[in-house]
Amino acid sequence: MTLQELMPLIIVGIIIIALAVLFTFIPVMLWISALAAGVKISIFSLVGMRLRRVTPARVINPLIKAHKAGLDIDTNQLESHYLAGGNVDRVVNALIAAHRANIELSFERCAAIDLAGRDVLEAVQMSVNPKVIETPFIAGVAMDGIEVKAKARITVRANIDRLVGGAGEDTIIARVGEGIVSTIGSSESHSKVLENPDLISKNVLGKGLDSGTAFEILSIDIADIDIGKNIGAILQTDQAEADKNIAQAKAEERRAMAIAQEQEMRARVQEMQAKVVEAEAEVPQALAEALRSGKMGVMDYMNYQNIDADTDMRKTLGTTGDTDDEDK
């Protein structure tokens, strides 16, 4: 085929490629959908979104929903929120829900809540349909020492004005738990808590526990209440056991001291007996010295021997008499 014959085919191919690139870069179908929905937007605005690295569908589709719902929102607001990392579709849905429920909510406030990381659509839905938060069993001890366990159901409504910077559900549960423990602890007996569980609800609800949170507490209801352990008796038993252990330790200490003192006295007796033996050993030496020096005569020594023998005989007789008495 000649070049002249191939020219029409080449031109048709170039046109097809150009249209493919055009429809890929320029969302013509999205532009047509916007015009059909009554949203006035130029094709150059869509091209500008592509150049600004904004996905046109993420902006135009929410804009069409907002226009159909009667909201006055322009593309600049949606583009800025998209570029800030927000969820444009969720913000528009929240604005539509708030508009239907007659809740005053501006786009700036809604975008700020979304950028803060909160689910703004869920918050609007919670403002219309309050949410019930159920706490786990919270234990408190009454003045009579009986443990009381209570479970509460907290009905809350989202406070849109405090969603940015307000505390979440965990804070509500912690504050309600603290109030339940305080109310049970101030009761004179556990029977009063069982007879009037609504006292817990009234006392806790009257403390303004939703201050500084993203919710408004509508009601606090006691779902279940139960009796636990006798904490007072357990503490008294533990204290008595501790006192017993302390007394036993002190008695053991005194016994050890007495044994040590006994051993010390025995050592002293042995020491004194050794001194006596040592002194008795010096008696023969003293007698010999007395005989040598003439201070003592032979008859005196014989008399001493007789007295010593007589003394030993008396000791022997006395010991024998004691032994016979024991045998009898």
Side-chain angles (χ1 to χ4, degrees), residues 140-141 145-147 228-236:
V141 181
I146 304 299
E147 182 184 33
K229 301 177 181 178
N230 191 337
I231 303 298
I234 294 174
L235 291 176
Q236 290 178 358

Side-chain angles (χ1 to χ4, degrees), residues 280-314:
E280 288 179 349
E282 294 178 357
V283 171
Q285 298 178 3
L287 289 174
E289 182 65 26
L291 288 172
R292 282 195 298 268
S293 62
K295 295 180 179 180
M296 182 177 181
V298 176
M299 295 304 296
D300 294 330
Y301 177 73
M302 295 301 295
N303 291 331
Y304 167 75
Q305 289 292 331
N306 292 330
I307 293 171
D308 190 23
D310 186 50
T311 302
D312 290 338
M313 182 183 64
R314 290 180 180 180

Side-chain angles (χ1 to χ4, degrees), residues 314-328:
R314 290 180 180 180
K315 287 182 179 180
T316 303
L317 292 175
T319 303
T320 304
D322 294 337
T323 304
D324 293 338
D325 291 339
E326 290 179 358
D327 293 338
K328 290 178 181 181

Side-chain angles (χ1 to χ4, degrees), residues 189-217:
S189 65
H190 68 284
S191 59
K192 290 188 176 181
V193 180
L194 295 176
E195 291 172 1
N196 300 303
D198 58 325
L199 291 177
I200 300 177
S201 303
K202 293 178 181 178
N203 291 337
V204 175
L205 192 60
K207 292 184 177 181
L209 302 179
D210 54 3
S211 176
T213 65
F215 303 97
E216 177 185 355
I217 298 178

